Amino acid sequence: FFSRRLRSVETMSATMKIVKPGGASLSAFEETVAQALFDLEATNAELKADLKDLYINGASEVEVAGGRTAIVIQVPFRSLKSFHKIQQRLVRELEKKFSGKDVVIVANRRIMPVPSNNLARARPRSRTLTAVHNALLEDLVYPTEIVGKRQRFRLDGSRLLKIYLDPKDRNTTEYKLDTFAGVYKKLTGKEASFDFPVQA
């Protein structure tokens, strides 16, 4: 009885690490990710203080090329900078816990629809579809910088966005290029490829 009660207290504490918009219920996978964050806060001295006041908005698994699975963690937009401070360490620890899966962290941003009449207040530029999708690219590859973008039109009329990343991060980022492309397609419906510019 005591151990069962202890487990339920732990689960309650873990669910404090995830707050779903509109109070939506958690999936089993989201509970697992919340538990992993709770465990890291409890046991990892390096991350404990920084994780204390942070929580996430959601988590999902995305199938990407090569039979791999990525974990996409959504965080509140206003907490993104705080997550960025610890992102490399946090991602490293989470990838250990979910062995064989790449972890990416993206901010929860809202796209506002185009106003239906001219009297409607203009949308903030940051809430347009284009701005949100561009910001998502920056989130996906953080802390690597995007150094170039090219739009390619195929013969069938479809588009492919080519994203070029800072070559200095090749060693730490190259294994995730397919993950970036798969997650971007899943979240936006748009095709993109990620690569490093050819060094002259």
Side-chain angles (χ1 to χ4, degrees):
F1 170 75
F2 179 72
S3 67
R4 204 164 59 233
R5 191 170 165 200
L6 188 64
R7 265 203 308 277
S8 70
V9 169
E10 276 184 0
T11 305
M12 277 173 58
S13 305
T15 55
M16 290 167 62
K17 300 309 291 177
I18 180 166
V19 178
K20 297 271 283 185
S25 56
L26 306 186
S27 69
F29 181 69
E30 285 174 326
E31 286 184 12
T32 304
V33 173
Q35 185 66 54
L37 288 168
F38 178 74
D39 292 345
L40 280 175
E41 186 186 321
T43 61
N44 189 303
E46 232 186 312
L47 292 168
K48 189 183 180 80
D50 291 304
L51 275 176
K52 189 163 90 63
D53 298 317
L54 295 178
Y55 60 86
I56 65 173
N57 289 143
S60 58
E61 290 182 286
V62 174
E63 299 296 321
V64 297
R68 293 171 69 84
T69 303
I71 295 173
V72 183
I73 296 176
Q74 290 177 300
V75 304
F77 174 69
R78 56 182 62 178
S79 302
L80 186 62
K81 281 187 177 168
S82 300
F83 273 98
H84 278 175
K85 283 182 194 167
I86 57 168
Q87 183 155 328
Q88 285 170 287
R89 282 174 291 155
L90 179 60
V91 164
R92 191 168 62 239
E93 293 301 325
L94 287 172
E95 287 180 345
K96 278 186 209 164
K97 281 183 176 286
F98 296 97
S99 54
K101 295 180 181 178
D102 297 336
V103 174
V104 293
I105 294 174
V106 300
N108 213 4
R109 294 182 176 85
R110 207 156 62 89
I111 297 167
M112 286 177 69
V114 179
S116 56
N117 60 51
N118 292 333
L119 297 174
R121 200 177 62 195
R123 287 182 300 171
R125 190 173 290 241
S126 63
R127 296 287 181 86
T128 64
L129 181 77
T130 304
V132 169
H133 286 182
N134 282 339
L136 174 63
L137 287 171
E138 307 277 351
D139 289 355
L140 279 176
V141 303
Y142 185 86
T144 301
E145 283 187 27
I146 294 171
V147 296
K149 292 179 190 174
R150 298 279 181 279
Q151 186 89 255
R152 250 187 64 197
F153 292 87
R154 298 195 181 105
L155 291 173
D156 63 1
S158 63
R159 300 178 187 189
L160 173 68
L161 184 60
K162 300 198 81 167
I163 309 294
Y164 295 101
L165 305 177
D166 192 333
K168 74 176 170 56
D169 291 331
R170 182 188 285 269
N171 290 344
T172 54
T173 308
E174 195 160 27
Y175 76 100
K176 270 190 175 176
L177 298 181
D178 286 341
T179 292
F180 298 152
V183 171
Y184 187 72
K185 175 82 186 281
K186 176 74 174 176
L187 297 182
T188 67
K190 295 178 179 176
E191 285 199 55
S193 70
F194 293 77
D195 210 340
F196 300 94
V198 177
Q199 303 294 103

